Amino acid sequence: MQNSELILCQNTGNIFEKEAKPFVKWAGGKTQLLNELSDRLPLKIKMSKTVQRYVEPFVGGGAFFFFLKSNYEVKESFLYDINKELIIGYKVIQKDVQELMYELERIEDEYINLPEIDRKEYYYKTRDEYNNQQDNFNYETYNSDWIKRAAYLIFLNKTCFNGLFRQNKRGKFNVPFGRYKNPTICDKENLLRVNEALKNTYVFSTDFEESKKFIDANTLVYLDPPYRPLNKTSYFTSYDKSGFTDEDQIRLANYYKEMDKKGAFLILSNSDPKNANINDNFFETLYAGYKIERVLAKRSINCDGAKRNSISELIIRNYE
């Protein structure tokens, strides 16, 4: 196995200003690692500026996907996430972006003109409606109800505390109200760019292993699973009620090895257990024989701002 390397992650300038960007803030978002991921793309892709097929089994906010669509010719893409609410957002932007913007504009106009105490009431009333809607919601067949649900998702994400998505064990959104003076709830320009980026793209809400059938030797696969917690108090799998355990991490490593045998280009990111325990070789053992590198990154979602320190994260590839 290659020796691990520690590389300083540097974001040089706002080079992504005119590109599509994530339409929601998502735990573990990869905007700050775009330079590191871009530098590690296969030489074949860098030289041709073309990705024949792109698969992302844990799309989340989709920062790397949007970067690729803005800087490379991506022939076709397959995006997956187990979180049904997130996938509703992607599909509505893909199919009905104009109607979504109308709904977001309506919500923004109502919300922005309220004093803070009334904004707080508006937020919790919307959150309750969003959660109550879940019990009888049709997640299987696309229909007009998805537009309002996507609008609620974006509104709550833009106005909740710390701008994150979190569900309790029953799948209910449970983030408290956030005090933002002038949040942008309807970002028209970016929503239109996201809509454009989602052309020639298939979006699914299902387990990551379902993506196997679309992967071959012409595929670039980026794997960004829920990060393994560094300690018990930092456990964050509640972006979805189902969680992601060490057994799932092992299942993912087996998937990685299987896709490697297909000849696909694989790049994976995860937390570095050695931040908490220098003797923790969990990922070195799982991905023995692959190229493991360490990069510095700042954890951006933490309720305590003082704890948003730079720590090392792992990038694991099956190619040079």
Side-chain angles (χ1 to χ4, degrees):
M1 182 173 64
Q2 302 269 348
N3 291 331
S4 298
E5 303 173 30
L6 180 63
I7 303 170
L8 180 61
C9 175
Q10 296 178 329
N11 235 343
T12 55
N14 189 15
I15 62 173
F16 312 112
E17 185 177 12
K18 297 300 182 183
E19 300 174 358
K21 60 185 179 181
F23 61 92
V24 288
K25 186 176 181 181
W26 209 250
K30 288 296 167 292
T31 299
Q32 62 173 312
L33 282 183
L34 288 180
N35 287 336
E36 299 294 344
L37 295 170
S38 174
D39 287 347
R40 289 165 177 78
L41 284 170
L43 183 60
K44 176 182 177 181
I45 290 175
K46 287 182 179 179
M47 296 292 288
S48 67
K49 299 293 289 185
T50 301
V51 179
Q52 293 297 327
R53 177 176 289 180
Y54 178 71
V55 174
E56 189 165 348
F58 306 89
V59 67
F64 193 45
F65 164 73
F66 293 126
F67 166 78
L68 289 173
K69 290 288 286 195
S70 298
N71 292 277
Y72 292 82
E73 181 184 2
V74 183
K75 300 287 190 180
E76 59 178 354
S77 304
F78 298 82
L79 308 180
Y80 291 77
D81 204 282
I82 197 67
N83 191 298
K84 293 181 180 180
E85 308 296 349
L86 178 64
I87 294 303
I88 284 174
Y90 276 98
K91 288 193 173 181
V92 168
I93 294 173
Q94 187 180 50
K95 295 174 180 289
D96 285 305
V97 68
Q98 292 292 342
E99 288 75 9
L100 175 63
M101 290 191 298
Y102 294 149
E103 185 67 16
L104 286 171
E105 278 187 317
R106 179 190 65 78
I107 293 172
E108 186 173 89
D109 288 343
E110 291 177 354
Y111 183 80
I112 293 297
N113 292 316
L114 294 173
E116 183 175 308
I117 188 169
D118 292 333
R119 284 186 178 187
K120 186 174 182 179
E121 181 182 352
Y122 187 102
Y123 173 85
Y124 283 112
K125 182 180 178 181
T126 303
R127 193 182 77 169
D128 287 344
E129 186 174 345
Y130 181 75
N131 284 331
N132 292 334
Q133 187 187 55
Q134 181 188 68
D135 297 331
N136 299 306
F137 193 79
N138 182 352
Y139 287 94
E140 303 303 321
T141 305
Y142 187 90
N143 61 77
S144 60
D145 291 341
W146 285 37
I147 298 170
K148 189 172 185 178
R149 191 153 186 84
Y152 279 176
L153 168 71
I154 293 171
F155 165 73
L156 292 170
N157 185 262
K158 301 295 186 182
T159 58
C160 71
F161 178 74
N162 215 21
L164 57 87
F165 184 94
R166 185 182 65 203
Q167 293 177 321
N168 62 23
K169 294 295 184 181
R170 295 183 297 118
K172 305 296 185 181
F173 182 81
N174 64 354
V175 185
F177 172 70
R179 291 177 170 84
Y180 302 102
K181 288 186 178 180
N182 192 31
T184 301
I185 296 166
C186 183
D187 186 346
K188 284 186 176 181
E189 290 186 8
N190 188 59
L191 287 170
L192 291 171
R193 288 196 290 264
V194 171
N195 169 264
E196 181 67 23
L198 288 170
K199 291 181 179 178
N200 301 319
T201 300
Y202 303 88
V203 186
F204 305 93
S205 176
T206 188
D207 184 76
F208 68 87
E209 291 203 66
E210 293 297 317
S211 63
K212 290 179 180 179
K213 57 193 173 188
F214 295 115
I215 296 173
D216 59 22
N218 291 314
T219 308
L220 172 67
V221 184
Y222 174 50
L223 298 152
D224 182 34
Y227 274 19
R228 185 173 186 251
L230 298 179
N231 52 60
K232 291 181 179 179
T233 60
S234 69
Y235 209 123
F236 193 96
T237 59
S238 49
Y239 84 106
D240 180 77
K241 62 182 179 179
S242 58
F244 205 79
T245 65
D246 275 1
E247 288 73 24
D248 289 314
Q249 297 285 0
I250 293 168
R251 188 162 61 94
L252 177 59
N254 291 331
Y255 164 104
Y256 190 102
K257 293 166 188 174
E258 187 178 341
M259 297 307 99
D260 178 40
K261 290 178 181 177
K262 284 190 172 188
F265 293 108
L266 303 164
I267 183 166
L268 177 146
S269 53
N270 214 310
S271 58
D272 181 8
K274 293 187 183 296
N275 286 296
N277 179 2
I278 193 65
N279 296 314
D280 190 333
N281 295 311
F282 182 78
F283 288 114
E284 277 84 356
T285 301
L286 280 185
Y287 294 96
Y290 296 108
K291 186 173 181 64
I292 301 176
E293 297 173 290
R294 289 178 163 83
V295 299
L296 289 182
K298 182 173 286 188
R299 288 290 176 88
S300 60
I301 293 183
N302 192 308
C303 60
D304 184 349
K307 293 181 180 178
R308 296 174 190 172
N309 298 319
S310 292
I311 59 175
S312 66
E313 297 188 1
L314 301 178
I315 295 180
I316 303 172
R317 288 179 285 161
N318 69 334
Y319 58 90
E320 289 296 327

